[in-house]
Amino acid sequence: MKITHLSVVTLDYTVSDDAGEVLDTTEGREPLVYLQGSGFLVPGLESALYDREEGDSFELTVPAMDAYGEYEESLVQDVPGELFDGMEVAEGDTFVADTDDGHRPVTIVEVSEDFVKVDANHPLAGMDLHFKVTVQGVRAATAEEIAHGHVHGDDEGCGHHHHHAHGEGCCGGHGHDDDDHECCGGKGHAHDDDDAHECCGGHGGCKH
Ligand code: ZN
């Protein structure tokens, strides 16, 4: 069957930057399973998947504006150090901040005595992304999946182990050497347990 709105799609993919460096890939792990039309994937990739079917392979360049957005200087701000009261902060640390746009990963770019400079751009903002994609499977979503806006596993229902918890989109390959999930959890972050991974999966997340 072809991919339509609300298809559950199983994908293998590799995404690279302009220099050919691999940012994220399903190679060597489980493929990604997501709900088409849920906004789980970056917009440029999701829209390119309509009408594809099982077995299709293709390459696609998604410009930054259809991926994680252009890099915006206005998202780099100095905030008072008191806001980090009691926390050890260092350049390169990432944490999740509550903003008007919801939870966003924020990177600390400079720490001085009086302020902390933070960058709320997505780590992949401003980057054109080069995808190699193979559609491994297509099925219709269940009513429950449609109601939740995400895919459920074969037998687990809506627990904390959705497939999309493994979609480490924002984490893959940009310098987190100690913990792949650091960009999502970490300092000052209120999520509990596995929910902390959900910001990695792209634009959707668990909408309960
Ligand atoms: Zn659910």
Side-chain angles (χ1 to χ4, degrees), residues 107-159:
T107 304
I108 293 172
V109 292
E110 187 182 340
V111 179
S112 76
E113 226 164 276
D114 302 321
F115 65 87
V116 176
K117 189 187 288 286
V118 299
D119 184 350
N121 283 286
H122 189 281
L124 299 182
M127 294 175 61
D128 297 342
L129 301 181
H130 305 275
F131 286 92
K132 287 182 185 171
V133 175
T134 300
V135 178
Q136 300 290 9
V138 183
R139 66 167 170 86
T142 65
E144 189 183 47
E145 287 172 326
I146 292 169
H148 287 187
H150 58 227
V151 175
H152 292 164
D154 292 337
D155 51 18
E156 66 208 43
C158 188

Side-chain angles (χ1 to χ4, degrees), residues 15-18 23 61-65 67 70 124 126-130:
V15 55
S16 308
D17 64 13
D18 283 334
L23 302 169
T61 294
V62 177
M65 62 175 294
E70 301 290 355
L124 299 182
M127 294 175 61
D128 297 342
L129 301 181
H130 305 275

